[in-house]
Amino acid sequence: MKLEDKKIAILATDGFEKSELFEPMNALKEEGAQVHIIAPESGSIKSWDEKDWGESVLVDMTLANANPADYDSLVLPGGVINPDILRVNSEALDFIRTFFNQHKPVAAICHAPWLLINAGVIENRIVTSYKSIKEDVINAGARWQDDEVVVDEGLVTSRNPNDLPAFIDKIIEETREGKHEGQTANA
């Protein structure tokens, strides 16, 4: 078990891409990590599963009660709905910025780089994303690469659910390594 004694936050809300939350969550737990689902509201949040609503997951803690200092890394699942809602939530953006300011690993897949854009932490970074937001990423000052996983000083990004094996491997690796001193929030 590679992640014993590690705590990982997954920040999401309704409309997260089912595989992009459940697959990392299950893999991280299998490696011994304590994983918490963090959301703006308590209760449960519902996934989007390709063409319709899918399985729900219980929220472990609300954003208002979550402290980034308690976690070793942050995972941001994609989908279209989930990051579009969270990118205008100031608490969510502050939560993300704090991980960057504390030099902790952050992993974002699919449309989740929208959150990095709105948090002001993507400028001058090398990242990937879902192809439809490539221009958003570039316009925010990042260098976009078309690779299954891109790692830049603790920031792990991937394009879509097909990239999940590589994405999960890098989350595990970066969480084991810990802090990255070059990583900081620009906003």
Side-chain angles (χ1 to χ4, degrees), residues 143-168:
R143 199 170 93 218
W144 193 88
Q145 286 185 197
D146 187 15
D147 291 313
E148 67 178 356
V149 65
V150 174
V151 181
D152 182 0
E153 294 182 23
L155 175 59
V156 178
T157 53
S158 285
R159 302 170 299 192
N160 58 57
N162 296 330
D163 299 336
L164 278 166
F167 183 68
I168 292 166

Side-chain angles (χ1 to χ4, degrees), residues 6 12 51 72 81 99 107 113 116 119 121 129 140 167 187:
K6 298 289 185 181
K51 296 181 181 178
D72 297 290
I81 300 166
F99 277 85
L116 305 176
V121 296
S129 67
F167 183 68

Side-chain angles (χ1 to χ4, degrees), residues 95-108:
F95 191 76
I96 293 165
R97 272 186 216 104
T98 301
F99 277 85
F100 278 84
N101 289 333
Q102 293 176 355
H103 308 288
K104 294 179 180 179
V106 174

Side-chain angles (χ1 to χ4, degrees), residues 171-182:
I171 294 168
I172 292 168
E173 182 181 320
E174 293 298 310
T175 300
R176 280 180 51 194
E177 288 179 13
K179 292 189 175 194
H180 296 270
E181 293 308 318

Side-chain angles (χ1 to χ4, degrees), residues 48-69:
W48 187 259
D49 191 8
E50 295 184 25
K51 296 181 181 178
D52 203 354
W53 293 104
E55 187 177 349
S56 293
V57 65
L58 287 175
V59 172
D60 294 302
M61 191 175 300
T62 63
L63 259 172
N65 294 317
N67 182 353

